[in-house]
Each structure stands twice: as C-alpha cells, then as structure tokens.
Amino acid sequence: MAAKKKSTKTKASATKPTEPLSALLRLPSGPVDLSAIDTAATPGYPGAGKADAPALTEALTPELSELQERLYANGRSEVEGAPSVLVLLQGMDTSGKGGVIRHAMGLVDPQGIQLTSFKVPTPEERKHHYLWRIRRALPKPGMIGIFDRSQYEDVLVVRVEQLVPVSEWNGRYDEINDFEKKAAEAGTTIIKCFLHVSFAEQKERLTARLASPAKYWKYNPRDVDARAKWPAYQEAYTDALERCNTDHAPWFVIPADRKWYRNWAVAQLLREHLIGLDLSWPEATFDVAAEKARVAKS
Ligand code: AMP
Ligand code: MG
C-alpha cells in the first residue's frame, strides 16, 4: 500500500515542467537565428519520452479546466476589464497547428474557445485593411481565442510570394506591434507560438499524408511549392520573430519535430499564462443569504 501511494505522488509532481516554459521557450530579444534552435529538442519536459506524453498532457486537464472556467466566469459576469487570452499559432505547413488545436486546446471547454483559421483573404476581406479580419476575431472578455495563422501571414506568404511591394509589407511590422499593444492594453494576454519544424521533418509528414487515403485531405499540392521556397520563408519568419517580439506580445518558439512535445508544451504555456492572470471567482451580484432563504422556502 505504502509503495503504491509513493508512486502516485511521484507521478503527480513529475507532471510539471522542470522550469516554466514561459521562460524556457521565450524568444530572447535581439537577432534571431532559427537554424540555431533545435527543432527536436524537448525543453522542460518532465517525462522520459513519447510514451509519457499522453498521460502528462491529460494530467493538465483538471487544472486547465478550472483556470479556464474562472476566466469564462469573469467574462460572463461582465467584471470591469475582464481579461481574455489569445493563443496565436504560426508555422510552416505540417508544423502542427491543427494538432495543437486538437490535442492541447481540446483539453478545455469548447464554450470558452473562439477559434479562427485565417485562409487566403476572401473578396470581402480583401476590400479592407489586412488587420480588419484580425481585429474582428480578437477574443471577447473571458474567452480563449485561438488563431490558426494570423496577421503574420501578411508579412510571411505575402512577402515571399510578393503579393504586395516591399514598401508596403515593410511597414507592417510596426503596425502589427501597435495593433498587438492596443489589444494587450484592452486586456488580452497574447501568446504567440512559432511551431518550429525542420525541413527534413516536413518531408516526412508530407510523405505520410500521401501514404494513406485517410490523410489525403491534409495534403495540399501547393505546400510543395512553399517548401521549395523554404529559405525565403525562414528569412521571413526570422524577421517577423525578430521585429515583433515585444513584452506585450512575446514570441515563444516551440520545437515541433516531436508532436507529443509540441502539444504538451502549448498546453503548458496556456496553463502558465492563465495562472499568471491570478483570477478569482466573480462576486455574486445578488444577496447570497437572501437567495439561499428563497430557494429553501421554494
Ligand atoms: P491552411 O492553413 O493549410 O488551411 O492554408 C491556408 C492558406 O491560406 C495558406 O496557404 C496561407 O498561406 C494562406 N493565407 C493565409 N492568410 C493569407 C494572407 N493574408 N494572404 C495570402 N494568403 C494567406
Ligand atoms: Mg495546409
């Protein structure tokens, strides 16, 4: 019996990262060299490897659920300046934006999630400034917003594919910083995640998508065209990371060659940021004693 108790305890404490991921994965300010960041690393991972990952990620559920419910409750009760959280996901094709949404964001109540996937702009979106569709998708108070791609596409694909002249995209970095600052000041905690996958791993994943009819739907022939421009994309990502890495909207670089680490890491980052909000349950907006008496009598 005693031995059993001991092993349960060890397991529980080993579910926490060895150091906060918000420090370990935070991109330092200054020049960025993506090639120097190991895409297969597992910083802060408390387990031995892949086999531990489902249990470690699952172990986050009760705490994440409660933290998210507090956030949601604060939004619902229209607490003055109720916060929101935005998890912004960027990365090359196959880096796992969808996987993170399914496996990490899937741990919390869907009612508290506001998910937006940004595609090639629609004719309607094209009539507006590029930040128009982004602003509309910002999470409401109490919500966790998820951006599957984001405003950064307007300095990534738009830059690499030369969809607008350099004079136009070059001014966007400062514009994005200002936009994010306003959102942060309005109460949104912004967590920008760059899912950093290697060129070799991307090939593996594209190959896997072609190996099974169950994965054809994930395969887009255009991904191979983007792959052919890998260095240009890495350069564009480097600039986006370097020029838009602010204290109000920092970048986190998530090594993404190991799917199990990537999913666990993003869930952890969300957990740490929710804890950082230090939210209490909203006060009752009614007389609790009087309502107890009314219910008892009813
Ligand atoms: P997926 O995320 O695989 O569904 O693909 C969405 C596609 O939309 C990607 O090829 C993106 O590069 C593209 N996309 C997203 N935002 C923009 C944008 N602002 N301008 C041009 N293409 C975009
Ligand atoms: Mg795709």
Side-chain angles (χ1 to χ4, degrees):
M1 282 305 270
K4 197 175 176 193
K5 246 187 173 166
K6 198 176 165 212
S7 77
T8 316
K9 203 172 170 194
T10 315
K11 213 175 165 192
S13 61
T15 61
K16 301 277 185 288
T18 54
E19 266 183 72
L21 294 195
S22 37
L24 281 178
L25 300 182
R26 170 78 157 91
L27 181 70
S29 59
V32 172
D33 179 4
L34 283 178
S35 66
I37 305 177
D38 184 1
T39 52
T42 60
Y45 186 70
K50 182 178 181 175
D52 300 331
L56 281 173
T57 307
E58 188 59 34
L60 288 168
T61 306
E63 194 184 1
L64 264 182
S65 293
E66 190 190 319
L67 288 163
Q68 189 247 341
E69 197 176 338
R70 273 177 202 256
L71 178 69
Y72 188 73
N74 276 270
R76 277 298 292 265
S77 36
E78 287 166 18
V79 174
E80 194 71 31
S84 60
V85 172
L86 174 62
V87 179
L88 181 154
L89 303 172
Q90 279 291 160
M92 295 295 288
D93 297 307
T94 77
S95 62
K97 299 178 286 291
V100 164
I101 293 165
R102 201 159 43 248
H103 297 289
M105 302 300 133
L107 300 175
V108 306
D109 184 350
Q111 291 180 95
I113 294 280
Q114 215 179 300
L115 168 66
T116 313
S117 298
F118 293 99
K119 309 287 184 188
V120 175
T122 62
E124 167 70 5
E125 288 170 343
R126 236 183 264 284
K127 285 187 209 149
H128 298 270
H129 187 268
Y130 71 96
L131 290 174
W132 178 78
R133 64 176 185 167
I134 310 292
R135 188 175 291 109
R136 285 159 57 98
L138 286 173
K140 306 275 177 285
M143 300 295 282
I144 298 174
I146 305 171
F147 281 3
D148 169 3
R149 304 185 188 268
S150 65
Q151 60 272 26
Y152 287 98
E153 292 296 320
D154 291 280
V155 287
L156 293 166
V157 65
V158 165
R159 166 176 163 164
V160 174
E161 300 299 335
Q162 301 177 9
L163 303 180
V164 303
V166 56
S167 57
E168 199 171 326
W169 59 252
N170 204 24
R172 291 182 173 176
Y173 300 94
D174 288 344
E175 204 169 30
I176 289 173
N177 286 336
D178 286 346
F179 172 81
E180 291 176 351
K181 187 151 198 268
K182 288 203 183 82
E185 284 168 357
T188 303
T189 296
I190 305 172
I191 312 167
K192 299 188 298 199
C193 299
F194 170 56
L195 307 182
H196 190 25
V197 75
S198 66
F199 187 66
E201 179 64 21
Q202 189 192 53
K203 187 168 191 166
E204 295 277 319
R205 292 184 186 173
L206 289 171
T207 306
R209 286 178 182 187
L210 289 170
S212 156
K215 289 191 177 174
Y216 292 166
W217 68 274
K218 292 190 193 180
Y219 185 85
N220 184 340
R222 277 201 303 273
D223 293 352
V224 187
D225 302 327
R227 178 172 168 80
K229 296 176 183 169
W230 186 273
Y233 272 103
Q234 295 297 300
E235 200 183 320
Y237 264 110
T238 300
D239 272 1
L241 290 163
E242 201 171 293
R243 295 174 70 176
C244 298
N245 188 24
T246 58
D247 284 338
H248 57 263
W251 275 111
F252 297 91
V253 178
I254 322 290
D257 279 3
R258 299 172 199 266
K259 296 174 181 175
W260 48 269
Y261 173 78
R262 175 200 70 199
N263 297 339
W264 171 83
V266 176
Q268 275 296 341
L269 270 182
L270 176 61
R271 170 182 165 266
E272 290 172 18
H273 283 82
L274 286 170
I275 291 173
L277 287 176
D278 197 20
L279 292 175
S280 46
W281 294 105
E283 299 282 337
T285 53
F286 46 82
D287 181 338
V288 176
E291 291 305 310
K292 276 185 183 166
R294 283 183 65 216
V295 172
K297 257 198 261 161
S298 64

